[in-house]
Amino acid sequence: MRKLGFVVAGVAALGMALGQNVIKIASQSPLSGPQAALGEQIKLGAELAVEEAKARFKQLGFDLQFVPYDDQANPDVGVANANRIINDPDILGVVGHLNSGVAIPSSEVYARVNLVMVSPANTNPRVTDRKLPNVNRICGRDDVQGPAGAEYAFNNLKVNTVFIIHDKTAYGQGLAEEFKKRFEALGGRAVAFVGTEETSNFVPIINQIRGARPVPQLIYFGGIYSQIGPFVKQLRERGLTTRLMGGDGLDSAEFERLAGSQAAKGTYYTTVAGPVSAFPKAKAFAQRFKQKYGKDVEGFGIYAYDAANVILTALEKAIKDNGGKKPTREQVSKAVRAVKMEGLTGTIEFDEKGDIKKAKYFIMQVAGTGNWADNKLIRVVEVAPPAAR
């Protein structure tokens, strides 16, 4: 019996040793429901980065693993997942989320244990303005993206009146408010500011647009493609040809599928995640992505790849600084904030809030050809984030 006890103890010790050599990177994004197309891009971009880094980490003595979580674009689900994530001590970094309304409460959970989050997509100012040391983003902010759209509409499209719609989320409403603020500061007029959670019957809002005075020259919709697509389809079916603009929530081939190519054609959108064509370094990555997953990468897939590589770069530095041993979450979090690297999307370096020091904003127009990669890149603006308040 004594000999058996030694064997059991030895097996347990071996298991603990093996467990100490596992490092996991998690992702959180919607993998089911109407926003899954964007959420899947985040998952796959992060997954490919982890897959490509496995051999490097094996040489360091670690088994690198990827664990995706489906937050369903729902804050309650995101927070529940976040609690599961922090209870797995092998998870040392999170790539996510898609929705700011999910990221903000979930990141509060990560902050309790100093678990670092690098976002490829969250644009609401509050994501970083809370100055949490574990929260970073490699994309831009709504208080720059919204004004960029407003300036293009007013100065280039010569629009003076706009009908503004938003989806009542932290992302959609926040973006619409920033657009409105800048548009009116330029001298334009918002004839309406309407919030809706409707996803199928937009006739009442279309009737409001039809009856608005003065007549709106542009419709601005702060929301996600799953809502904007059906809206545009119904808008065009009822004969309204008013120009349309949205934000990066519209940036998915699913928008064109839901609206129909003819209805979607000509739609303007701003995005913090540019297309493959905007990044010369992303061409080879896009080919690897297509070969592995059988689908084209879109903007947030590229940014998720970079976000994961930020964490992986910081991890390698933290392991080295820790004498080759597995680092703590706090060590990884500090290493991420100190990262300076060249990603597919450009130079990645964070300020004291966790914002990227210079973010790119893209103004695009839907080509309506059925191929999202054909969309026209009109302008790229590179801007530093607002100073800490």
Side-chain angles (χ1 to χ4, degrees), residues 245-299:
M245 178 179 281
D248 51 330
L250 185 154
D251 187 9
S252 169
E254 283 294 292
F255 166 71
E256 187 172 349
R257 187 186 70 79
L258 291 168
S261 292
Q262 195 56 41
K265 185 176 181 180
T267 297
Y268 295 93
Y269 63 96
T270 56
T271 181
V272 297
V276 173
S277 61
F279 306 114
K281 292 182 182 177
K283 187 176 180 181
F285 161 73
Q287 292 170 346
R288 298 196 305 275
F289 189 99
K290 181 70 176 281
Q291 186 175 10
K292 184 172 178 64
Y293 301 115
K295 58 181 67 180
D296 292 324
V297 68
E298 293 177 6

Side-chain angles (χ1 to χ4, degrees), residues 322-343:
N322 205 36
K325 296 177 183 176
K326 188 173 180 177
T328 65
R329 284 169 166 171
E330 186 174 7
Q331 287 172 324
V332 177
S333 188
K334 286 180 178 178
V336 165
R337 186 58 62 89
V339 157
K340 182 174 182 179
M341 59 173 274
E342 290 301 315

Side-chain angles (χ1 to χ4, degrees), residues 213-236:
R213 295 292 180 273
V215 175
Q217 298 169 307
L218 179 76
I219 299 165
Y220 186 87
F221 202 139
I224 304 290
Y225 66 85
S226 55
Q227 189 181 31
I228 307 175
F231 164 76
V232 172
K233 185 175 190 294
Q234 293 176 36
L235 184 79
R236 301 307 186 215

Side-chain angles (χ1 to χ4, degrees), residues 15-337:
M16 286 178 65
L18 289 172
Q20 288 172 354
N21 286 333
V22 172
I23 292 177
K24 298 176 183 176
I25 304 297
S27 69
Q28 272 233 69
S29 60
L31 304 177
S32 59
Q35 298 182 32
L38 286 178
E40 186 187 41
Q41 286 281 328
I42 290 174
K43 173 201 163 188
L44 297 181
E47 180 180 68
L48 187 52
V50 172
E51 290 288 329
E52 291 177 352
K54 279 188 173 184
R56 298 201 312 271
F57 277 80
K58 190 172 183 180
Q59 289 181 340
L60 295 172
F62 295 95
D63 176 18
L64 184 65
Q65 300 177 10
F66 178 68
V67 283
Y69 285 78
D70 178 8
D71 66 24
Q72 299 176 28
N74 183 313
D76 292 337
V77 176
V79 167
N81 286 345
N83 279 296
R84 293 187 189 96
I85 286 170
I86 66 170
N87 286 324
D88 183 343
D90 292 327
I91 296 178
L92 298 186
V94 180
V95 175
H97 297 240
L98 171 66
N99 309 88
S100 294
V102 181
I104 291 167
S106 298
S107 60
E108 299 276 357
V109 177
Y110 307 141
R112 297 206 301 259
V113 295
N114 296 307
L115 177 62
V116 74
M117 175 188 113
V118 179
S119 172
N122 298 130
T123 52
N124 188 281
R126 280 193 61 218
V127 172
T128 49
D129 281 355
R130 296 166 300 155
K131 301 177 185 175
L132 294 176
N134 66 306
V135 175
N136 311 273
R137 62 172 148 209
I138 63 168
C139 61
R141 299 164 49 114
D142 289 336
D143 50 3
V144 181
Q145 182 185 185
E151 288 170 13
Y152 185 78
F154 188 86
N155 294 325
N156 297 87
L157 300 181
K158 306 301 181 185
V159 165
N160 296 306
T161 55
V162 61
F163 192 106
I164 302 175
I165 310 169
H166 65 80
D167 63 3
K168 295 187 177 181
T169 68
Y171 161 70
Q173 183 169 346
L175 182 63
E177 286 171 348
E178 295 294 345
F179 178 94
K180 180 176 183 288
K181 192 188 306 180
R182 183 61 182 147
F183 188 76
E184 291 181 335
L186 290 167
R189 178 177 173 184
V191 302
F193 190 82
V194 177
T196 180
E197 295 173 329
E198 181 59 57
T199 58
S200 58
N201 179 18
F202 293 97
V203 173
I205 290 178
I206 292 170
N207 287 339
Q208 285 184 57
I209 295 168
R210 199 189 296 274
R213 295 292 180 273
V215 175
Q217 298 169 307
L218 179 76
I219 299 165
Y220 186 87
F221 202 139
I224 304 290
Y225 66 85
S226 55
Q227 189 181 31
I228 307 175
F231 164 76
V232 172
K233 185 175 190 294
Q234 293 176 36
L235 184 79
R236 301 307 186 215
E237 285 174 346
R238 281 156 183 79
L240 271 74
T241 58
T242 313
R243 287 177 290 187
L244 185 95
M245 178 179 281
D248 51 330
L250 185 154
D251 187 9
S252 169
E254 283 294 292
F255 166 71
E256 187 172 349
R257 187 186 70 79
L258 291 168
S261 292
Q262 195 56 41
K265 185 176 181 180
T267 297
Y268 295 93
Y269 63 96
T270 56
T271 181
V272 297
V276 173
S277 61
F279 306 114
K281 292 182 182 177
K283 187 176 180 181
F285 161 73
Q287 292 170 346
R288 298 196 305 275
F289 189 99
K290 181 70 176 281
Q291 186 175 10
K292 184 172 178 64
Y293 301 115
K295 58 181 67 180
D296 292 324
V297 68
E298 293 177 6
F300 287 122
I302 301 171
Y303 276 69
Y305 180 83
D306 270 3
N309 275 316
V310 166
I311 297 173
L312 294 166
T313 299
L315 264 169
E316 289 176 281
K317 176 74 163 54
I319 290 167
K320 181 181 177 182
D321 291 349
N322 205 36
K325 296 177 183 176
K326 188 173 180 177
T328 65
R329 284 169 166 171
E330 186 174 7
Q331 287 172 324
V332 177
S333 188
K334 286 180 178 178
V336 165
R337 186 58 62 89

